[in-house]
Amino acid sequence: MNTSSDRAVKVGRALISVSDKTGLAEFAHGLAAAGVDIYSTGGTRRFLVEQGLAVRDIAAYTGFPEMMDGRVKTLHPKVFGGILWRRDHDEDKRALVEHGMESFELVVVNLYPFEQTVARGASAEETIENIDIGGPSLVRAAAKNHAFVAIATSPRQYRAILEQMTSHGGLTFELRRRLAAEAFAHTARYDAMIAHWFAAAEPGSDSDFPASLNPALELKEVLRYGENPHQRAALYSDRTLEPNLVGGRQLHGKELSYNNLLDLDSALTIVRGVKEAAAVVIKHNNPCGAAAGSSLGDATRRALAGDPLSAFGSVLGFNRTVDLATAEVLCEPGLFIEAIVAPKFDPEAIAALTTRPKWKANVRLLEVGEWGPPQPRWEHRQVHGGWLRQEADALPDPNDQWSTVTATSPTDAQRADLDFAWGVVRHVKSNAIVLVKDLTLIGTGAGQMSRVDSVRIAIEKAADRAPGAVLASDAFFPFADSIELAAAAGIKAVIQPGGSRNDDEVTAACNRHGISMTVTGRRHFKH
């Protein structure tokens, strides 16, 4: 059955009250040219008048002045009745006439800049004043009554509204329904940001695990596909974390893929935890090369040499500005790189990377900005029927609590390698083993069902470079068989959490072969 909601709604009156005035002047002139009467409030009304538009003041319409520093201005029955009345209900129409209400067919509202206020470190008092009350109420009212009213919450929607008013003489139900869905998503995200701020302001077990979890995410882009071409995917932004991967600026290359983003996130996470200049090479979300040193160019060369075969088609991460010397290493023949993430890129490095190598046209360069020390944060993963929430394993371990449990102690050089290896192994899929020599990752065993298999793979990757290297294990050794393999390969030092019922057996094996073993007391599974 056809109803009035099936037809395009002709816009006679619009209520406009916005904080973000991007594109507003052009939009309002378009409305006025279509014969729309514009009602507005405070700063928005003054802005529109300055643009040469005739605008009626809401306070004059309601007969009720703005008060309490603008806390109360649109919260009035003559405003909400004019939005919420149902055009196919005679009783609603009689109430509208009886109480002298005007009818609004378009509401244009975006909310107080709460997110930006928090981001610039405003006081609690100022932050609270930027919690919008009237705005969300107007948005929800118009969205609820989308059968007869259109709601615009973003400047991105203005063009479609004006185009439909020209082509259809009004706004179609399909557009009104889409705008309503976007409006409810907009207010939901806004409320989630407020809830997040309150929880962060009062840390503790209750706020860390709230009764309801409402992530404040915003669609950034629809991706070409997911992990595989038959899977659809999109990227959502959480702007409460800065600087971060999603908030980075892409300087060059085709759009990032789902897998690119996963690999870049792993690369960024690893290099953020290294104090020295560091480079990491990621393949299928595991590090196949990593190195630290006094210069980024030197670290890059050694990281790529860690597993040259796997480095082809990889993603790279850096914790320093990519300079020309580093770019020169990346431009050498025989190398192919998918994407690079770094705090910054020198102009000379960008020029080299985007003009000289064969893969220049497509390489993605992502600049995320300078960062400080790693901060506590939460991570979430979906399981069938729900979500898991945990503290991210992103903070450095207190290495002053490590202990040497063998007769042999590591040398100073081995201690440095153990520290670097321990920083890398925590980011490798369990069961995880890495071999490091001279602050360079030379072998990785990742994601195997038995730890001894991961040891075998790491040693095989290292080949003749294994003698003199150190070995890191993300969890304890259940048996001494891994130590026997390490000893046969020439490994000289081991770092692991400890905690196995066979710790004494493992320690005894190290002592037999003159291998030092450091116990950290902290496991780093990654599933």
Side-chain angles (χ1 to χ4, degrees):
M1 182 178 72
N2 290 333
T3 69
S4 59
S5 66
D6 295 321
R7 299 190 297 270
V9 168
K10 180 177 174 58
V11 179
R13 293 181 190 85
L15 169 58
I16 304 178
S17 180
V18 297
S19 292
D20 180 3
K21 296 175 178 59
T22 303
L24 181 61
E26 181 182 359
F27 179 55
H29 275 291
L31 294 176
V36 177
D37 292 331
I38 298 175
Y39 290 61
S40 192
T41 62
T44 302
R45 186 181 65 83
R46 288 191 295 272
F47 173 82
L48 293 173
V49 170
E50 290 170 0
Q51 306 303 312
L53 289 153
V55 182
R56 187 170 179 188
D57 188 1
I58 281 290
Y61 162 59
T62 62
F64 204 87
E66 283 190 28
M67 59 176 58
M68 302 176 186
D69 295 325
R71 280 190 165 200
V72 179
K73 51 188 175 185
T74 57
L75 296 168
H76 194 280
K78 289 184 73 173
V79 174
F80 283 87
I83 295 170
L84 283 165
W85 78 282
R86 293 160 292 187
R87 277 65 169 171
D88 53 0
H89 280 52
D90 291 340
E91 186 176 338
D92 286 8
K93 187 172 183 179
R94 283 195 296 270
L96 190 82
V97 173
E98 179 182 350
H99 295 286
M101 300 178 185
E102 302 283 11
S103 177
F104 295 98
E105 292 76 37
L106 174 63
V107 176
V108 183
V109 172
N110 55 59
L111 310 178
Y112 290 173
F114 179 85
E115 182 178 9
Q116 294 88 332
T117 303
V118 172
R120 60 180 170 81
S123 67
E125 182 180 4
E126 184 181 355
T127 299
I128 288 171
E129 288 307 312
N130 275 277
I131 297 176
D132 204 332
I133 302 300
S137 300
L138 290 169
V139 169
R140 291 175 63 83
K144 175 176 180 174
N145 205 27
H146 66 274
F148 309 101
V149 181
I151 171 65
T153 52
S154 168
R156 297 191 303 271
Q157 301 163 341
Y158 295 167
R159 180 188 295 272
I161 291 171
L162 291 178
E163 287 178 350
Q164 277 212 355
M165 290 175 64
T166 300
S167 61
H168 291 74
L171 305 178
T172 65
F173 179 73
E174 289 75 19
L175 176 62
R176 300 193 309 272
R177 184 178 177 83
R178 175 168 64 82
L179 293 174
E182 293 177 9
F184 281 118
H186 182 63
T187 56
R189 181 175 181 274
Y190 192 78
D191 285 340
M193 288 189 294
I194 295 170
H196 174 82
W197 179 78
F198 273 102
E202 298 181 9
S205 58
D206 290 340
S207 61
D208 287 343
F209 298 103
S212 176
L213 193 62
N214 303 295
L217 304 178
E218 184 176 44
L219 178 65
K220 182 171 182 180
E221 62 180 300
V222 175
L223 303 174
R224 288 181 296 158
Y225 53 81
E227 283 184 285
N228 298 290
H230 64 277
Q231 296 171 268
R232 296 189 300 162
L235 174 64
Y236 286 79
S237 171
D238 177 359
R239 292 188 289 181
T240 62
L241 302 171
E242 292 293 346
N244 59 65
L245 180 74
V246 178
R249 186 166 64 103
Q250 187 169 343
L251 304 179
H252 182 75
K254 61 184 180 181
E255 62 270 30
L256 292 165
S257 71
Y258 185 97
N259 293 332
N260 288 156
L261 288 161
L262 289 176
D263 287 343
L264 286 166
D265 185 59
S266 294
L268 188 60
T269 301
I270 293 173
V271 294
R272 286 188 72 155
V274 183
K275 295 178 181 178
E276 302 87 355
V280 64
V281 184
I282 299 291
K283 197 68 173 290
H284 296 299
N285 217 22
N286 276 305
C288 63
S294 58
S295 77
L296 197 63
D298 173 63
T300 301
R301 188 177 297 279
R302 289 187 288 111
L304 292 168
D307 188 348
L309 183 62
S310 298
F312 188 86
S314 59
V315 164
L316 272 61
F318 301 99
N319 65 354
R320 300 285 193 277
T321 298
V322 176
D323 54 15
L324 181 58
T326 303
E328 295 282 1
V329 176
L330 301 178
C331 290
E332 291 178 1
L335 184 62
F336 167 57
I337 297 170
E338 287 275 2
I340 303 171
V341 62
K344 292 183 179 179
F345 292 79
D346 281 342
E348 298 84 0
I350 296 174
L353 292 169
T354 58
T355 59
R356 288 164 50 186
K358 291 182 179 179
W359 34 265
K360 60 184 179 293
N362 293 325
V363 63
R364 295 93 159 171
L365 304 181
L366 191 67
E367 186 175 86
V368 297
E370 300 290 348
W371 57 74
Q375 299 297 315
R377 59 183 176 86
W378 296 95
E379 62 184 14
H380 305 90
R381 294 178 68 176
Q382 187 177 13
V383 293
H384 224 86
W387 292 79
L388 294 169
R389 174 179 171 90
Q390 70 168 353
E391 291 177 298
D393 191 10
L395 301 181
D397 284 355
N399 57 11
D400 58 346
Q401 297 179 18
W402 297 356
S403 61
T404 301
V405 296
T406 49
T408 303
S409 296
T411 66
D412 289 344
Q414 287 169 348
R415 285 183 188 278
D417 280 349
L418 289 169
D419 187 69
F420 182 70
W422 191 242
V424 173
V425 75
R426 66 196 292 173
H427 302 293
V428 178
K429 293 293 181 67
S430 301
N431 286 315
I433 299 291
V434 302
L435 302 186
V436 167
K437 189 175 185 179
D438 299 327
L439 298 180
T440 303
L441 178 64
I442 59 172
T444 302
Q448 299 305 303
M449 282 62 75
S450 70
R451 190 156 301 276
V452 70
D453 283 342
S454 290
V455 173
R456 288 193 182 97
I457 292 170
I459 292 171
E460 181 182 338
K461 286 286 186 181
D464 58 3
R465 297 172 294 175
V470 308
L471 180 151
S473 173
D474 67 333
F476 64 63
F477 295 104
F479 304 103
D481 48 3
S482 292
I483 302 301
E484 298 297 335
L485 282 176
I491 303 301
K492 295 301 182 184
V494 169
I495 186 168
Q496 57 116 344
S500 167
R501 68 176 63 183
N502 292 323
D503 272 354
D504 290 344
E505 177 186 331
V506 173
T507 302
C510 286
N511 283 328
R512 283 197 306 273
H513 295 289
I515 296 174
S516 74
M517 185 162 68
T518 299
V519 172
T520 68
R522 180 175 292 187
R523 188 184 72 187
H524 285 295
F525 272 163
K526 182 181 179 183
H527 289 92

